[in-house]
Amino acid sequence: MDIRILAPTGALGAGFDTAALDRGVAAGPHVIACDAGSTDSGPAALGSGTPKLSAQAVTRDLRLLLKARDTLQVPLIIGSCGTSGRDDGVDWVAGLARTVAAENNLHFKLGLIYSDQPAERLQHLYDEGRIRPLANAPVIERKLFERSHTVAMMGVEPIQELLRNGYDVILAGRASDTALFAALPHLNGADPGLTWHMAKTIECGAACAIPPDANGLLVTLRDDHFDVTTLADGSRLTPRSVAAHTLYENADPFHIAEPSGTLDTTHATYEAVDERTVRVRGSRYIEADGYTNKLEGAELVGYQTVIVGGVRDKVVIERLPELLPMAKKYFDAKILDVFDGRVDPATIDINYRLYGTGTVLAGTEPTPLQPQELGVLITVTAPDQSTAHAISTFVAHASSHLPIPEYDGLVSTLAYPYSPPEMDRGPLYRFTLNHVATGVTPTELFRTTTEEV
């Protein structure tokens, strides 16, 4: 067995060198696969339906990949379209693909896989006790599904249905990143342990290369091993860099869960073939007792205005932690006064993040920090944007003149780099689900449409 899989980039729209793509095409891959989304950037894409990367960037990459597919006459698989894998994200990428095809006289059979979950279906699963929380999942209740936009994460099976029927371009909703690369090898009877490990290795393109970049990798999958090769000039692979990628987005690098089971890399070995290629052996795949699909949801929680400031005064820096709680009490009273009781302070969140004193570690800094300068990020979140902005104006004003006991008279406590300092961020979203649907068949949560382009 000799199956070649081309992963041209880690994310559709992230860009890649055309020379690197050309090397991958010249190797004659049997399939091109590419991820287009993630939850890494937070809940906004899923909640709003707005892709992270621009139409211009996505179109540029898509054009090159569709042309490469046309040259090779092999399948092109793209998953988690539109960043979140929402139905409108699939339709968005499909629209771009149709435009590229018309402009470049390309013809292909197009399959679209949708992963949005209607509230009624989720409530039915919930009522039957078939929605199970993963680690650190939020507590959920039945009505959540009515206000949350939810997608299910597919495995290889919905993709394989289209591959069996000869579809050239497959644009999928939310998908396991690895499923995009594992689907075709599984159809051809490849070893499941090697297949899933191969897929995990190349899911982010050349992220496991040295230096990591947005370019691609080529895998050659054989009966008892796979070889992974970097394609870009100036990049290389080492056994350590390839092995390290099993820890990316995983708490346990030796046991990586998929919808149908778990990849076990405990006994995997990594061997340098040359400076650009690493050979991997010994992975295995443990089938699960039951099939599950991960559920991801996001909901609107308010609208936000942000203020960015800074301070270099040592006395002010030392006093801020005790002054800010006092300021918040003042703002609660100010809200009642300014809005004449029409706005409940409990519906407003005013948050200060002090960058330079352990904010990134959220209070778990192992040693106390004594910054010379402090960055201050103030966020005001309210039920609507106009209220958030109105409140932020007096928050910004008061925050720049906090009372410092050591100083007499008016003191400037924060300096703002912008005028005006208030910047409206727009809607704010939060993740609502980190759960799996249980007792499902591999394809029942997804629907497919097809067309000739």
Side-chain angles (χ1 to χ4, degrees), residues 276-354:
R276 301 171 69 99
T277 301
V278 169
R279 178 164 295 169
V280 182
R281 304 177 188 268
S283 316
R284 68 189 188 108
Y285 192 68
I286 304 167
E287 294 287 341
D289 292 336
Y291 199 93
T292 59
N293 289 114
K294 185 170 182 279
L295 300 174
E296 296 173 350
E299 68 171 336
L300 177 71
V301 293
Y303 294 81
Q304 199 166 71
T305 299
V306 299
I307 304 156
V308 177
V311 58
R312 191 176 171 82
D313 188 303
K314 182 179 180 181
V315 175
V316 176
I317 290 173
E318 291 176 348
R319 284 289 187 178
L320 277 179
E322 63 186 73
L323 287 172
L324 294 180
M326 296 169 55
K328 290 180 180 180
K329 290 182 180 179
Y330 165 77
F331 294 139
D332 284 352
K334 185 78 171 174
I335 290 167
L336 288 171
D337 182 31
V338 168
F339 292 94
D340 197 23
R342 296 187 305 274
V343 175
D344 182 357
T347 66
I348 309 300
D349 179 71
I350 301 172
N351 183 265
Y352 290 79
R353 296 179 185 270
L354 307 180

Side-chain angles (χ1 to χ4, degrees), residues 264-277:
D264 183 353
T265 66
T266 305
H267 302 292
T269 62
Y270 305 83
E271 171 192 355
V273 176
D274 54 43
E275 191 176 58
R276 301 171 69 99
T277 301

Side-chain angles (χ1 to χ4, degrees), residues 121-131 438-439:
R121 173 187 289 160
L122 296 171
Q123 288 173 333
H124 175 70
L125 292 171
Y126 180 84
D127 292 341
E128 292 191 339
R130 293 167 57 198
I131 295 182
T438 65

Side-chain angles (χ1 to χ4, degrees), residues 10-32:
L12 186 71
F16 48 82
D17 295 340
T18 55
L21 177 66
D22 290 344
R23 288 190 191 95
V25 171
H30 298 96
V31 62
I32 304 171

Side-chain angles (χ1 to χ4, degrees), residues 46 85-88 114-118 121 149-152 445-447:
L46 178 55
R86 284 172 48 137
D87 288 0
D88 46 15
Y114 295 102
S115 58
D116 273 14
Q117 300 302 304
R121 173 187 289 160
H149 196 109
T150 304
V151 293
L445 299 184
F446 310 97
R447 71 185 197 282

